[in-house]
Amino acid sequence: MEKITGAEALMKALIAEGVDTIFGYPGGTIMPAFDALYDYTDRINHVLVRHEQGAVHAAQGYARTSGRTGVCLVTSGPGATNTITGIADAMMDSTPLVVIAGQVAIGMLGTDAFQEVDLVGITQPITKWSYQIRRAEDVAWAVSRAFYIARSGRPGPVVLDFAKNAQNELTEFAPEQIDFVRSYLAFPEPDPGKLKEAAEIINGAEKPLMLVGQGVELGGAREELISLVEKADIPMGSTLLGLSSVPSSHRLNMGMLGMHGNIAPNVKTNECDVLIAVGMRFDDRVTGALAKYAPQAKIVHLDIDFSEFNKNVKADLCVLGNCKETLRLIGEQVKPARHTEWVESFRPYAEKEMEEVIKEELNPGGEKLRMGEVVRAVSDAAGPEAVLVTDVGQNQMSAARYFRYEYPRSIVTSGGLGTMGFGLPAAIGASFGAPHRPVCVFMGDGGFQMNIQELGTIMEQKAPVKMILLNNNFLGMVRQWQELFCNKRYSFTPMVNPDYLEIAKAYGIPARRVATHSELAGAVAEMIACQGPFLLEACVEEEAHVMPMTPPGGAVDMIMTSKDDK
Amino acid sequence: MDSEKKLYTVIVHSEHRAGLLSMVTAVFTRRMLSIESINASASSIPGLHKYTMTTITDKETIEIVTAQIRKKIDVVNAQYFTDDEIYQLEIALYKVKTSVIESTPEISGLIRKSGARIVEVNPVYCIVEMHGRSEEISLLYNELRPYECVIQFVRSGRVALTKDNTERTSEFLENHEALRCRRKAESNKN
Ligand SMILES: Cc1ncc(C[n+]2csc(CCOP(=O)(O)OP(=O)(O)O)c2C)c(N)n1
């Protein structure tokens, strides 16, 4: 067999995994891989980012929209450490990634060689698997195992620390196909007894509530979920990451859970008699005070990750398995039911929210633009195919609340880690992961500047990303907390901003500023009609609040609808 | 009560691969749980290493900690036990001043009574070796201490076997292998 370098073996192994897009940035220890890549650009599209953090977030956006594994290629030392935030983010949000970083030659390990960093040591706690490739002959095995681990079970990030000598050494190459790791039960078989018990609990319920997490999206279980909830007439609330698991318009979809979620599903969490949580992990932003979380309810938890069971909320029944299977099997056993009165009882809360929060947000009485109206205008104009990407802060919560979701994999946001700077690069990745869908990213003036250099990537790639900057001249979400809980002591939250239109201009990106209600529709239409990227700066009310809000540490049904509600 | 703190023994089986021990201990570090003792060595299952670790915490915490360890790739199994669920053993060595032993006859009595034995004698010190349960080893140390005769003292980490009738780790591996074969057969059929 012909011998090739470890670097070329990497290219062949990536192609064997079906990789056609990678996000990266070259440097000393990864040069052999980039040199090999030079001959593979007809099969692998490499997107040069402007900062390695951007590469990881882009790979996350790609993975979340396409359902495939995102891939990054970076150098050792600072290149590798720049990826850490994104890796931690992907771990929290169960996003399949393979991050390949250069490493110094193994003979130099442990000598503080130039750009040596203990990447395996640093990333072990924030990855599913972190492995150092020390010999060219291990490339096929390591790459195949990396992809298997990243995408299977509860997905997550994997790091391959690729020593430079292994990139240069010669090896014979035959692709491997790993689909079994003896220590790792990727897809556990559901226990028939537990499935039956779950169905019985649901059959006995008078006021059931389903909590839908990203697991449904990751498991591709939309149909199974809908068929179960329709059969047994179960209203649903969804987590931030689960928002596009079911269409917004579904009769039983009662909206978003959590701190800035909708009133009805949050209040009803503490009124239901049976709570069925699927593919979600009872994050504290969803539960509020645990001691006051659904104490009255019988709790059934369906998840593919056993370590989530009884971690935050003690469940009465835990059903381990892929929710595509468990939801189907439970669905077969539940009896058709109607809970008309219960389902109807959500309505007054939805109406209260409409009256006290949503109306003013969508049709503000004041002159200033509100985030909600901008989001809704964009969502309406972009249509049901659109993918929402967000940054973090008020812009994120407003976007999540007012965007409308139709198709699966329509929301890309940093949930668990809450990473400012996520939005812009993630949107670039989304435009590659879902090339036929409009990609709209909402950002604040703080978060936009955290990875603003990626405008360079957008310029170079002509990535058709619709960027909506919700500019309030504040680190808005922190300012909101400061107003509510720190007596308006605005400690380092006012933002001195540059002229964003000038910045866009420097990158050759068309841009427009909008500040009035009357101009909004026209500006949004111009953005959507534009072929390539576009920056829309919406100057929004500076000291607005995202409402409703469950104050931190408060019970899930203790909900403020205005800042005076405290 | 679940919030009552006590000593738990965590037994972990993992692949024999560099870096796994630090992956396991990182789960303790994350909660700043200190590890009271640790023993790592080859297990009876080919290719697998076994760690026996002890820590003081409550049931709720140890339950989550063991699940988070078990979940790691290349960790095959992790379980926790209370002292009544295991047979446990520790080894200790005590370096005792020969002069004090000679001048204080009770010391030899203590050593004999505890089942320890003297394995080395020279004019300056004797080495006393003992194996037993943790509390027996502590007891002898505490009994010797008042005589101010112990120059050095060392104890190994605890090793433990479960009182279970089966080895759960082997069971897990067999079941997983069987599941793999079943799934392969099913996918071949389709
Ligand atoms: C990297 C990072 N640093 C700090 C924070 C804390 N933080 C959360 S929201 C927020 C304010 C965000 O401000 P901006 O980007 O302007 O968005 P807005 O809330 O105004 O919509 C901050 C600082 C964070 N989530 N991520």
Side-chain angles (χ1 to χ4, degrees), chain A residues 518-540:
Chain A
S518 58
E519 282 175 295
L520 179 62
V524 168
E526 182 185 342
M527 171 177 76
I528 300 294
C530 179
Q531 281 294 309
F534 193 97
L535 175 69
L536 179 63
E537 181 189 5
C539 303
V540 296

Side-chain angles (χ1 to χ4, degrees), chain A residues 124 145 182-183 187 305, chain B residues 15 19 22 71 74 176 183:
Chain A
Q124 266 183 341
R145 198 174 198 252
R182 69 172 174 171
S183 58
F187 295 106
D305 177 356
Chain B
E15 300 290 354
S22 72
K71 171 179 156 178
D74 292 331
H176 193 193
R183 287 201 174 139

Side-chain angles (χ1 to χ4, degrees), chain A residues 371 391-396 417-421 443-448 450 470 472 474-478 495:
Chain A
M371 289 190 180
D391 208 79
V392 166
Q394 292 184 317
N395 62 87
Q396 175 184 37
L417 205 63
T419 306
M420 280 174 71
M443 297 167 286
D445 42 313
F448 182 37
M450 277 209 179
L470 299 172
N472 54 12
F474 271 107
L475 298 175
M477 187 56 96
V478 180
M495 267 269 130

Side-chain angles (χ1 to χ4, degrees), chain B residues 44-68:
Chain B
S44 58
I45 304 166
L48 290 193
H49 254 53
K50 177 169 174 166
Y51 314 133
T52 310
M53 318 166 83
T54 58
T55 190
I56 295 169
T57 185
D58 54 68
K59 187 166 178 350
E60 217 168 281
T61 305
I62 200 69
E63 181 110 35
I64 300 171
V65 164
T66 15
Q68 288 174 341

Side-chain angles (χ1 to χ4, degrees), chain A residues 414-433:
Chain A
S414 168
L417 205 63
T419 306
M420 280 174 71
F422 175 86
L424 189 61
I428 297 172
S431 73
F432 285 93

